[in-house]
Amino acid sequence: MSFFEFLMRRKSTFAVDYKLIVEDIMKYGLFSLMVWVSALCAGFTACSDDDDRAQAIAGTYKGKIVMAGVPIVNEAQIVITRDGNRLVTLKMQETVLGIDVNIACQSVVLYKNQQYAVSGGTTFNMAMGEAGASVPVPVTVDGTIDQGGETSIDITVEIPGAPVTVVFEGQKQ
């Protein structure tokens, strides 16, 4: 005796309702539809990118800071730390053009054309005027890092009235 026959012999409400539900499912092909939907969901479930972009570029980069093609700091360093799969923090502490620059900028990491691209922004407290009052100045960071660790990062400091862009050119250590 099958399970369905057993339920039908009991003549309970549950058995009748259950039989009707099963008949409706089979009648309209909902069961086969549910199987196909489940198979498609399982088939199209994707893992995250195989590469952890932020981990791939995390490290210490040594190089120089260039302005208008002329090196202005010959021994510069940027440290990139991983904050997530596609987030990093770029830290630089250098004296550039007589200004102590200490920035920590969170950036998004993209991967395109065999290169990692970083882009982000922060503010930098800069001493201005004779009294040396600290003024927050916007800083943007845009650059690329190739798979060999060679990097070129544009750092733009939006000084009121005279924005300054310098380029960090370096190599991962």
Side-chain angles (χ1 to χ4, degrees):
M1 169 182 347
S2 74
F3 178 69
F4 294 114
E5 290 175 47
F6 170 76
L7 289 176
M8 292 307 296
R9 287 192 179 168
R10 287 188 59 216
K11 303 231 187 246
S12 70
T13 310
F14 171 75
V16 172
D17 290 343
Y18 186 74
K19 182 180 181 217
L20 290 174
I21 291 170
V22 170
E23 285 177 357
D24 284 347
I25 289 173
M26 298 309 280
K27 181 177 171 184
Y28 294 107
L30 292 177
F31 181 73
S32 61
L33 178 64
M34 289 174 20
V35 169
W36 277 105
V37 168
S38 298
L40 288 173
C41 289
F44 287 111
T45 300
C47 300
S48 64
D49 289 331
D50 293 335
D51 63 324
D52 183 349
R53 296 171 185 175
Q55 187 62 39
I57 66 169
T60 301
Y61 293 78
K62 293 188 177 186
K64 60 187 174 183
I65 296 177
V66 178
M67 185 168 140
V70 178
I72 55 174
V73 177
N74 287 321
E75 294 182 21
Q77 176 176 299
I78 287 183
V79 177
I80 299 176
T81 55
R82 178 184 185 272
D83 290 342
N85 188 30
R86 293 189 177 128
L87 290 175
V88 294
T89 297
L90 285 83
K91 293 181 183 176
M92 183 178 81
Q93 187 171 357
E94 297 290 339
T95 301
V96 180
L97 300 174
I99 302 169
D100 290 328
V101 179
N102 185 1
I103 61 171
C105 177
Q106 191 171 48
S107 299
V108 175
V109 180
L110 302 174
Y111 186 71
K112 185 177 181 181
N113 298 330
Q114 304 297 316
Q115 289 186 331
Y116 296 95
V118 292
S119 180
T122 188
T123 57
F124 159 64
N125 290 324
M126 183 175 170
M128 297 184 112
E130 293 177 17
S134 182
V135 176
V137 178
V139 176
T140 57
V141 174
D142 289 302
T144 59
I145 301 168
D146 68 17
Q147 291 183 345
E150 190 172 324
T151 183
S152 176
I153 300 174
D154 294 347
I155 303 166
T156 302
V157 181
E158 297 290 336
I159 299 171
V164 175
T165 299
V166 296
V167 179
F168 174 84
E169 297 173 346
Q171 183 70 35
K172 186 175 182 179
Q173 299 301 302

